Amino acid sequence: MSSGRHRLASPTTSTTRRLLGSPLGVTAIVVALVTVTAVAVPVGLDVLGCGETRYLRVSATQSMAPVLREAATEFNDDRPSYDGECVYAQVDEIAPHRIMTTLSGGRSGDSTIAPHVWVPESSAWVELTRVSEGGMHGIDTDPPSLASSPVVLAAPEDTEGMPAPDDTSWTLVLPGERSPDRPLVMVDPNRGVDGMTVMHAVRRHLGSGDDADTAMTDFVRDVQRDSAFGEIDLNTFYTGSAAVEERVDPVIVVPEQAVVSYNASRAPTAPPLQAHYPVEGTVSLDYPYVTTTDVSSLRSAAADLYEVLDQDSYRSHLRELGFRDPDGTASPALADQPGLTAEAPPAHDDLTGDALLASVTDWNRLSMPSRTLVLADTSENMAEALDGEQSRMEVARQAALMGLSLFPDKTDMGLWLMSDEYGESGREEAADMHRLGTSDEDGEATRRQELIGVAEEIGVQGGGSRLYDNILAAYDEVADHYHEDKINSVILLTAGQDEGSSDISHEELVAALQDRFDPERPVSTFIIAFGSQAEEDELRQIAEATSGSLFVTEDSNEIGDIFLSSISRRLCVPDCDS
């Protein structure tokens, strides 16, 4: 996102731009940069008698990197040498999830991404590296902490509906708990421990079980559209512009240090922010100094660089940037900052190992795009009335429209209508599989809008449902075009009666689905049956054969909860209980 800062180009800048405009100019600049980077420093060190020059690669978070760069400069000024090898420290900002992936894959020695010193925002990343499939590779087991900062909820001071800073609960992040309604912004849990903290807190509050999974599904679907993919810069949310003043201010989950940094640098017209500390406890980010290399000279260099960082001047600089001391103590300067509580908030340390993996797994399964084939029953049984008012078809139509409103634009969705009135196949493929957010060739309508139009016009065709034949055909269609990066499923809207209209029997269908179901490539069947006349036992066996679920209803008002429950089922696939 643009910072909004601009300046006029100087004559030198204009000349550079003209040079960059030619292939020869680009080549010359690239060669010059490579020469300066690869030659200038080693030549300087060779004069001092170095037999070999090594680079100490240091990776840090965006907020911590400025201090590490200053320390690296001081370290390099001393021209350190270890057993004839000179070491030159370089500091980069690389997202911690990328570092974790590299270290977990055992590429710490030869990867250009893997650092020799890693300073993520939390030891939780170190724990994830240890418990990952690749395991631990030359990584410190008890790294020292450079600073700390608790995860907080941030909002402008005196925000309507916000509780007192010391009376805030994690329940504030749940849908419907913010009044007036306002967005919640957090880091994607795959990208930041502050996001993992939210997921962990929500799961601790909701507990386990089907109702809890449904509530978790509702939370993830509510917040994922506003989730960030890296460290959140609060200045991009509160610019002080007239456009920003007209919107509803969000609640943002960030480290306390981000609130301090924003308040110190905000535009005069931007609102000051208040940090809210959850009463249930929060996670304190500890910014560990992790050595990841086994090379003797680099380990020695890493230890010496830490000694530089441990000096009072650098500790003071960290406090000036809004960090607390490693033990959570706020310096006098930090305590005087507006919008903060100087006393260390209650913290918990159980966000480790399995809990971390569970938090990220919950998010990934619930936020992963879907690839879904909807199978809608239009047989004569769908004309029957429910509860003396609406027909099954009317409720099914509302269910289809509700489902279309719940699934995000990245969802691939197709629609089949089933009745033996459609001919030998017993179905009409009303819409093939396409992403809901894509537009038609004329750019006039999205696939979602097209499907809404189809759903509004669905009517009873009569005849038998060919239920069992169509379920198997739909399952095979999705399985044959399986997408690894999506949740693959069949959603069935039906009266729930086959009545001998299919070529295969119920027993043959269940056996075929059990044989086809692959836990490594799961395709689950979710059945929504309308009316008590549905053959529930038979339908339940069909759903369970693919780790799916059955819902029976006569009330259109239940459809939203049913869809959320079916989506939450992906948390247990392929090991769902009956």
Side-chain angles (χ1 to χ4, degrees):
M1 185 176 293
S2 171
S3 65
R5 296 176 182 173
H6 304 277
R7 64 180 180 183
L8 296 175
S10 67
T12 302
T13 302
S14 300
T15 302
T16 302
R17 287 177 178 168
R18 287 197 298 272
L19 183 60
L20 285 171
S22 69
L24 182 60
V26 172
T27 303
I29 289 172
V30 170
V31 170
L33 288 174
V34 170
T35 302
V36 168
T37 302
V39 176
V41 173
V43 165
L45 295 176
D46 284 345
V47 171
L48 300 177
C50 297
E52 182 180 355
T53 298
R54 288 184 178 272
Y55 289 90
L56 181 71
R57 294 194 298 268
V58 182
S59 176
T61 63
Q62 181 179 342
S63 56
M64 185 70 67
V67 177
L68 283 164
R69 287 197 177 99
E70 290 183 17
T73 298
E74 180 175 333
F75 171 85
N76 293 333
D77 286 345
D78 288 339
R79 301 293 193 267
S81 175
Y82 306 88
D83 298 327
E85 293 182 350
C86 291
V87 176
Y88 188 85
Q90 294 178 312
V91 178
D92 293 312
E93 298 171 21
I94 301 177
H97 71 277
R98 295 183 64 197
I99 302 297
M100 183 199 73
T101 300
T102 299
L103 296 179
S104 299
R107 299 193 299 273
S108 56
D110 55 7
S111 172
T112 56
I113 294 179
H116 304 118
V117 173
W118 183 25
V119 186
E121 80 269 28
S122 171
S123 292
W125 287 112
V126 183
E127 180 70 11
L128 277 173
T129 304
R130 292 174 184 151
V131 301
S132 62
E133 185 175 350
M136 181 176 59
H137 298 277
I139 190 168
D140 274 358
T141 57
D142 188 24
S145 170
L146 295 180
S148 68
S149 190
V151 176
V152 301
L153 284 73
E157 293 180 354
D158 302 321
T159 295
E160 181 184 359
M162 286 294 291
D166 58 354
D167 192 32
T168 300
S169 169
W170 278 117
T171 58
L172 190 67
V173 306
L174 296 172
E177 294 294 326
R178 299 179 295 282
S179 180
D181 188 33
R182 59 184 72 250
L184 175 78
V185 178
M186 58 180 260
V187 171
D188 183 306
N190 294 284
R191 305 298 202 271
V193 173
D194 34 355
M196 296 179 204
T197 298
V198 178
M199 286 295 292
H200 184 61
V202 170
R203 176 55 79 184
R204 287 206 311 171
H205 170 73
L206 296 177
S208 59
D210 292 343
D211 291 344
D213 286 348
T214 299
M216 177 63 83
T217 303
D218 193 21
F219 164 71
V220 171
R221 298 186 72 79
D222 175 68
V223 75
Q224 71 178 116
R225 59 189 170 189
D226 294 314
S227 60
F229 290 93
E231 288 188 57
I232 293 175
D233 182 356
L234 293 170
N235 289 288
T236 63
F237 287 89
Y238 302 101
T239 62
S241 67
V244 169
E245 289 180 1
E246 294 176 0
R247 65 149 200 225
V248 177
D249 288 327
V251 176
I252 306 180
V253 182
V254 288
E256 179 190 64
Q257 185 273 334
V259 177
V260 178
S261 177
Y262 163 84
N263 282 338
S265 62
R266 65 182 175 87
T269 54
L273 294 185
Q274 177 77 54
H276 293 254
Y277 304 83
V279 295
E280 303 93 337
T282 186
V283 168
S284 183
L285 307 181
D286 61 339
Y287 303 90
Y289 184 91
V290 188
T291 303
T292 66
T293 179
D294 290 326
V295 178
S296 176
S297 59
L298 294 178
R299 289 190 68 85
S300 297
D304 286 347
L305 177 60
Y306 176 76
E307 291 300 320
V308 175
L309 282 164
D310 201 33
Q311 296 178 73
D312 288 341
S313 59
Y314 293 100
R315 295 290 182 180
S316 296
H317 192 178
L318 288 170
R319 296 182 186 111
E320 292 168 0
L321 291 176
F323 292 99
R324 292 175 181 252
D325 289 345
D327 63 1
T329 301
S331 67
L334 183 61
D336 290 339
Q337 291 287 330
L340 303 183
T341 300
E343 182 181 356
H348 60 78
D349 57 2
D350 56 347
L351 190 60
T352 57
D354 292 342
L356 278 169
L357 290 176
S359 297
V360 176
T361 300
D362 275 4
W363 174 271
N364 288 342
R365 288 194 173 185
L366 292 174
S367 63
M368 183 180 289
S370 300
R371 183 173 176 81
T372 297
L373 178 56
V374 178
L375 191 57
D377 189 348
T378 62
S379 69
E380 63 181 1
N381 287 325
M382 293 296 289
E384 295 182 10
L386 296 174
D387 62 33
E389 296 181 6
Q390 294 179 304
S391 70
R392 284 171 165 166
M393 179 54 71
E394 289 172 321
V395 178
R397 191 180 298 120
Q398 293 175 40
L401 293 171
M402 173 64 73
L404 282 167
S405 71
L406 286 176
F407 285 93
D409 285 345
K410 292 183 179 180
T411 302
D412 293 338
M413 185 172 286
L415 175 64
W416 288 4
L417 308 178
M418 61 181 187
S419 163
D420 54 19
E421 292 293 311
Y422 289 119
E424 184 177 351
S425 68
R427 61 182 173 274
E428 177 181 297
E429 298 181 8
D432 55 2
M433 197 81 74
H434 275 295
R435 185 167 295 188
L436 290 179
T438 57
S439 300
D440 60 19
E441 293 181 358
D442 299 328
E444 297 180 355
T446 64
R447 168 46 63 101
R448 187 193 303 276
Q449 292 169 326
E450 292 176 4
L451 284 174
I452 288 174
V454 173
E456 289 175 339
E457 298 299 323
I458 294 177
V460 176
Q461 296 299 308
S465 64
R466 295 283 295 273
L467 182 65
Y468 301 153
D469 289 346
N470 281 304
I471 289 176
L472 187 59
Y475 184 92
D476 287 342
E477 174 68 18
V478 176
D480 290 344
H481 300 89
Y482 188 89
H483 278 221
E484 297 284 352
D485 59 345
K486 296 179 182 291
I487 298 295
N488 298 260
S489 65
V490 174
I491 296 178
L492 174 63
L493 309 176
T494 181
Q497 298 163 308
D498 183 86
E499 299 176 319
S501 61
S502 293
D503 292 335
I504 62 173
S505 67
H506 170 263
E507 291 75 14
E508 290 171 329
L509 171 62
V510 172
L513 292 174
Q514 289 173 335
D515 181 63
R516 285 164 164 77
F517 184 73
D518 181 356
E520 299 298 322
R521 296 166 60 87
V523 176
S524 295
T525 303
F526 301 102
I527 303 175
I528 303 176
F530 305 104
S532 58
Q533 298 87 359
E535 298 172 347
E536 290 191 34
D537 290 341
E538 288 83 354
L539 295 175
R540 184 169 288 105
Q541 291 173 36
I542 293 168
E544 290 174 357
T546 62
S547 207
S549 55
L550 166 67
F551 305 91
V552 179
T553 185
E554 296 188 5
D555 186 355
S556 59
N557 293 323
E558 295 178 349
I559 298 299
D561 289 338
I562 287 173
F563 270 104
L564 286 175
S565 295
S566 66
I567 293 168
S568 72
R569 188 76 172 178
R570 61 177 62 178
L571 290 174
C572 61
V573 172
D575 301 314
C576 297
D577 295 330
S578 298

